[in-house]
Every structure is written in structure tokens, then in C-alpha cells.
């Protein structure tokens, strides 16, 4: 099975900073890669799918890039409401593996 | 609007079974698959299993395959996760999520806390 490794596991940044989170797959696959945001006590929220497509209603400060084995989530201008844990997930077939998560703090 | 509403919290003893429901509305149930994901306290997300509401095909995580059963009831648009032989390390919030074919998990239930404790 393909393993998904996120880095860093946590980060602290200031309001207005540019934040980058990386997700690396143990072997290459299609661009069926999604990013989720999860706040404490809540279900995950889909932010990006197909590696770079913004889900409807998600602010444009979120963006995704990458293909093959290396994918990136970028928050261009960090806002207070972006404090959360972010997960990548491959969704082309089973298992639908998640990365370990990246916690973003202010 | 699309909704997935899960059953309430459960407390079980080790060795018992639990059945969690995920009642859906706002879309054509049999056109989708449903995925179950769990999250142990303070931990990340773990994929548990998937079922097609169209034909009943299922896939489960290798480590859980012998203890998990997924079913659906199209008459009530509800998906179910049953887990047997519960262990203390099965304590987690269990989420259901809608899985369109070749698409990501786009709508999620609110989660069901299952606590396994003697």
C-alpha cells in the first residue's frame, strides 16, 4: 500500500504569513490527492481535490500543487480562522490513505 | 441540502460489538459509496472501510477486516458500520463520509464517539 508522509507535523506562523505543507507518497500515483482541514471537535472539511482544484466555497488563499509523489498545500496569507490540522489523502482506490496531519498554530 | 447524520455516542466493554448508523438525505443514496474513517483521541485520521451503496461491494483496512461489517439500507438511505470484538484501542470518533466514484470524500457526518472500556 502507498504511504503518505506529511511535513512538518506542526508549525507556528504569524497572521499574514505564507504557509506551506508537504505531502509525499511512498510511490507515484495519479493526481487523486485531496487536502482536508479539521478543527477540534469537528469533521474534516474538503479544501482541495485533484491535487489543485479548490472545493466550492473555500477561500482562494488556499492552493494545491504537485503530482506523482510530491504534493503541496499553500496558504498564501494566514488568517486566524486557519488554525487547524491539515491532512492529505489519496483517493484513487483503496485503501484511502491519509497523511499524518500538520497542525497549524498562530 | 446534503446531510449525513450519525447515531449517538456508545460505551462498550472489551469484546462487545457496536453498530453505528449514518442516515443520509439530500441526494440519491444508491449513486454513491460511503467511507468510514476513525480518529483515536489526539490522533490522526485512519481509513476504516468503504461500501458501494449501488452494489454492496466493500473494502476494509487490512488490520480491521476480520472485525468490520459494512451494510446499507437504501429504503432509509442509511449506511451502517458494525465492529465486533471491540478492544480498548478501538476507542475513537468514527466518521462516515460520502465517496463519489473517482472523487474525494465531499460530505461528512458529525462523528460518533465509541468508547471501549472495562
Amino acid at each position: 500500500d502507498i504511504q503518505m508522509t506529511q511535513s512538518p507535523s506542526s508549525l507556528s506562523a504569524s497572521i499574514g504569513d505564507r504557509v506551506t505543507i508537504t505531502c509525499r507518497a511512498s510511490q507515484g500515483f495519479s493526481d487523486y490527492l485531496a487536502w482536508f482541514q479539521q478543527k477540534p471537535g469537528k469533521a474534516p472539511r474538503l479544501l482541495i481535490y485533484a491535487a489543485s482544484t479548490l472545493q466550492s466555497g473555500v477561500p482562494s488563499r488556499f492552493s494545491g500543487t504537485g503530482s506523482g509523489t510530491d504534493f503541496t498545500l499553500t496558504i498564501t496569507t494566514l488568517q486566524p480562522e486557519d488554525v487547524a490540522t491539515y491532512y492529505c489523502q489519496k483517493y484513487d482506490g483503496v485503501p484511502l490513505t491519509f497523511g499524518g496531519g500538520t497542525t497549524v498554530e498562530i | 441540502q446534503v446531510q449525513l447524520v450519525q447515531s449517538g455516542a456508545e460505551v462498550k466493554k472489551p469484546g462487545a460489538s457496536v453498530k453505528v448508523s449514518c442516515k443520509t438525505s439530500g441526494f440519491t443514496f444508491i449513486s454513491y459509496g460511503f467511507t468510514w474513517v476513525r480518529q483515536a483521541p489526539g490522533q490522526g485520521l485512519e481509513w476504516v472501510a468503504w461500501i458501494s451503496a449501488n452494489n454492496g461491494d466493500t473494502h476494509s483496512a487490512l488490520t480491521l477486516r476480520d472485525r468490520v461489517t459494512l451494510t446499507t439500507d437504501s429504503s432509509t438511505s442509511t449506511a451502517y458500520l458494525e465492529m465486533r470484538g471491540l478492544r480498548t484501542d478501538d476507542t475513537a470518533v468514527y466518521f462516515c463520509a460520502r465517496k463519489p466514484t473517482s472523487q474525494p470524500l465531499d460530505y461528512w457526518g458529525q462523528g460518533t464517539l465509541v468508547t471501549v472500556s472495562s
Side-chain angles (χ1 to χ4, degrees):
Chain A
D1 295 342
I2 296 175
Q3 304 303 313
M4 308 297 289
T5 303
Q6 281 184 240
S7 61
S9 56
S10 66
L11 65 90
S12 181
S14 300
I15 300 300
D17 280 356
R18 181 184 183 94
V19 170
T20 299
I21 298 168
T22 296
C23 178
R24 175 163 290 174
S26 58
Q27 62 190 77
F29 65 100
S30 66
D31 64 353
Y32 285 20
L33 189 283
W35 289 96
F36 295 89
Q37 176 193 65
Q38 187 183 32
K39 297 184 178 181
K42 300 294 188 181
R45 171 197 182 194
L46 177 64
L47 296 178
I48 289 179
Y49 63 96
S52 61
T53 302
L54 200 65
Q55 174 72 345
S56 176
V58 174
S60 59
R61 64 180 179 274
F62 291 93
S63 65
T65 60
S67 64
T69 59
D70 294 308
F71 301 87
T72 299
L73 173 70
T74 299
I75 310 172
T76 52
T77 309
L78 189 67
Q79 299 300 304
E81 60 266 32
D82 300 335
V83 169
T85 301
Y86 295 83
Y87 295 92
C88 63
Q89 187 204 32
K90 63 171 285 291
Y91 58 91
D92 67 334
V94 294
L96 283 69
T97 309
F98 288 93
T102 297
T103 300
V104 174
E105 299 173 334
I106 302 290
Chain B
Q1 71 280 24
V2 172
Q3 286 192 308
L4 287 75
V5 179
Q6 298 183 222
S7 49
E10 303 265 12
V11 179
K12 297 292 183 181
K13 294 193 181 302
S17 298
V18 69
K19 191 169 186 177
V20 180
S21 66
C22 174
K23 183 169 177 56
T24 74
S25 59
F27 60 95
T28 303
F29 181 76
I30 60 170
S31 296
Y32 292 87
F34 295 90
T35 288
W36 292 87
V37 173
R38 71 179 182 179
Q39 186 169 38
Q43 301 300 308
L45 302 172
E46 178 187 12
W47 177 74
V48 173
W50 167 88
I51 184 168
S52 165
N54 180 43
N55 60 18
D57 281 354
T58 62
H59 292 278
S60 302
L62 201 59
T63 56
L64 299 172
R65 193 159 295 169
D66 292 342
R67 300 192 293 124
V68 165
T69 300
L70 298 190
T71 55
T72 61
D73 182 346
S74 58
S75 68
T76 59
S77 300
T78 303
Y80 297 92
L81 166 70
E82 182 176 22
M83 187 173 290
R84 302 172 297 279
L86 288 168
R87 307 191 296 235
T88 55
D89 62 357
D90 291 320
T91 294
V93 175
Y94 288 75
F95 295 100
C96 64
R98 191 178 79 165
K99 176 67 174 72
T101 303
S102 300
Q103 296 294 320
L105 307 178
D106 56 359
Y107 287 91
W108 294 64
Q110 82 277 20
T112 297
L113 175 61
V114 175
T115 302
V116 184
S117 173
S118 55

